[in-house]
């Protein structure tokens, strides 16, 4: 099976712009979670989608949003970018079998805001 | 309610053992362990779902003490390939699936 794919891998944006990141989960996986990773804060949960519905959201401002499509692919959007949004954004998919519900991470999108 | 990992960093010689701890102030449903090498995505190691459960994966095993709200990762006879940052991710009671709260990580360096 192909792994989780994320596009683009690298992105440079200017403060005030908006950005959309894409994630394609492993085939058959229905849950997609998004995380922000920074040296200072580590891995922080953004939100999780299942069957096109956002089931949970982390402690991030409303500038961070996402959606999931019927094929389980997911996008996250960040509007009005700030310097502090520079981070590695990781997407993870999960089959959601309760006994084996590990999350498989994609390679991430490295976002730099200047 | 970020779990606390200890130690923050550890340096080993090949063949030595290490223990990484993950403690939470909240009751845990499960603990997930991941290893991340520099510039790469975290890779799943194992998940512990039940209190007291202990799982093994090659020479890496883990335990979960639900009562103490903590988990430990055991690396025995370490190899150079074990180098990386180890994260524990916790699912807390009252949270939802897919919402893992990660510790800050433990950087493990294995030297020849």
């Amino acid at each position: 099976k192909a792994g989780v794919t994320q596009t683009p891998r690298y992105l440079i944006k200017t403060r005030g712009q908006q950005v959309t990141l894409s994630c394609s989960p492993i085939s058959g996986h229905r849950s997609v979670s998004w995380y922000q990773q920074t040296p200072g804060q580590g891995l922080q949960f953004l939100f999780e989608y299942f069957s096109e519905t956002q089931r949970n959201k982390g402690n991030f401002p409303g500038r961070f949003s996402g959606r999931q499509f019927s094929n389980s692919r997911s996008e996250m959007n960040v509007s009005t970018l700030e310097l502090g949004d520079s981070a590695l954004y990781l997407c993870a998919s999960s089959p959601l079998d309760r006994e084996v519900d590990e999350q498989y991470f994609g390679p991430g999108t490295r976002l730099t805001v200047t | 309610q970020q779990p606390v990992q200890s130690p923050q960093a550890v340096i080993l010689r090949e063949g030595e053992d290490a223990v990484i701890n993950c403690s939470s102030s909240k009751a845990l449903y499960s603990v997930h362990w991941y290893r991340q090498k520099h510039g790469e995505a975290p890779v799943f190691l194992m998940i512990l779902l039940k209190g007291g459960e202990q799982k093994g994966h090659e020479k890496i095993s883990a335990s979960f003490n639900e009562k103490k709200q903590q988990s430990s990762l055991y690396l025995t006879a370490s190899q150079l390939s074990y180098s990386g940052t180890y994260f524990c991710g916790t699912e807390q009671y009252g949270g939802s699936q897919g919402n893992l709260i990660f510790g800050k990580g433990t950087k493990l360096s294995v030297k020849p």
Side-chain angles (χ1 to χ4, degrees), chain B residues 34-80:
Chain B
Y34 289 84
R35 175 173 60 210
Q36 185 177 30
K37 294 183 181 283
H38 183 68
E40 299 179 10
V43 173
F44 171 78
L45 292 175
M46 65 190 75
I47 177 175
L48 300 111
L49 286 171
K50 300 172 186 175
E53 187 176 20
Q54 189 153 351
K55 281 194 157 186
H57 177 74
E58 295 178 345
K59 293 180 182 176
I60 301 174
S61 61
S63 63
F64 177 23
N65 187 322
E66 194 175 3
K67 205 169 185 179
K68 290 185 179 178
Q69 296 168 185
Q70 69 182 36
S71 175
S72 295
L73 185 71
Y74 306 96
L75 300 103
T76 57
S78 58
Q79 306 167 14
L80 294 176

Side-chain angles (χ1 to χ4, degrees), chain B residues 3-48:
Chain B
V4 176
Q5 285 187 238
S6 61
Q8 289 184 314
V10 59
I11 299 174
L12 299 174
R13 292 284 180 192
E14 264 188 302
E16 291 182 338
D17 301 341
V19 180
I20 299 172
N21 299 304
C22 174
S23 295
S24 173
S25 60
K26 296 279 185 178
L28 300 176
Y29 181 82
S30 70
V31 179
H32 304 221
W33 284 98
Y34 289 84
R35 175 173 60 210
Q36 185 177 30
K37 294 183 181 283
H38 183 68
E40 299 179 10
V43 173
F44 171 78
L45 292 175
M46 65 190 75
I47 177 175
L48 300 111

Side-chain angles (χ1 to χ4, degrees), chain A:
Chain A
K1 275 185 182 178
V4 178
T5 57
Q6 291 187 246
T7 56
R9 293 293 311 279
Y10 303 91
L11 207 48
I12 299 175
K13 288 285 188 179
T14 305
R15 263 184 308 176
Q17 289 185 314
Q18 74 165 20
V19 66
T20 299
L21 312 181
S22 180
C23 170
S24 292
I26 292 172
S27 177
H29 284 194
R30 299 177 294 170
S31 169
V32 173
S33 298
W34 287 89
Y35 295 88
Q36 181 195 65
Q37 187 174 33
T38 59
Q41 298 300 318
L43 272 163
Q44 291 188 287
F45 173 76
L46 278 157
F47 27 66
E48 186 249 351
Y49 286 88
F50 177 77
S51 292
E52 302 177 64
T53 300
Q54 186 184 91
R55 298 199 303 174
N56 201 20
K57 192 176 193 298
N59 190 24
F60 278 82
R63 300 184 295 108
F64 292 81
S65 63
R67 58 178 176 168
Q68 187 181 35
F69 301 96
S70 56
N71 61 359
S72 293
R73 191 177 70 85
S74 178
E75 287 181 348
M76 69 163 278
N77 184 78
V78 188
S79 63
T80 320
L81 284 165
E82 300 177 359
L83 294 178
D85 296 334
S86 294
L88 179 67
Y89 289 89
L90 292 160
C91 154
S93 74
S94 172
L96 272 195
D97 175 339
R98 187 66 256 189
E99 286 300 309
V100 189
D101 64 353
E102 66 268 26
Q103 295 191 6
Y104 295 87
F105 282 85
T109 294
R110 173 78 60 186
L111 172 66
T112 302
V113 182
T114 62

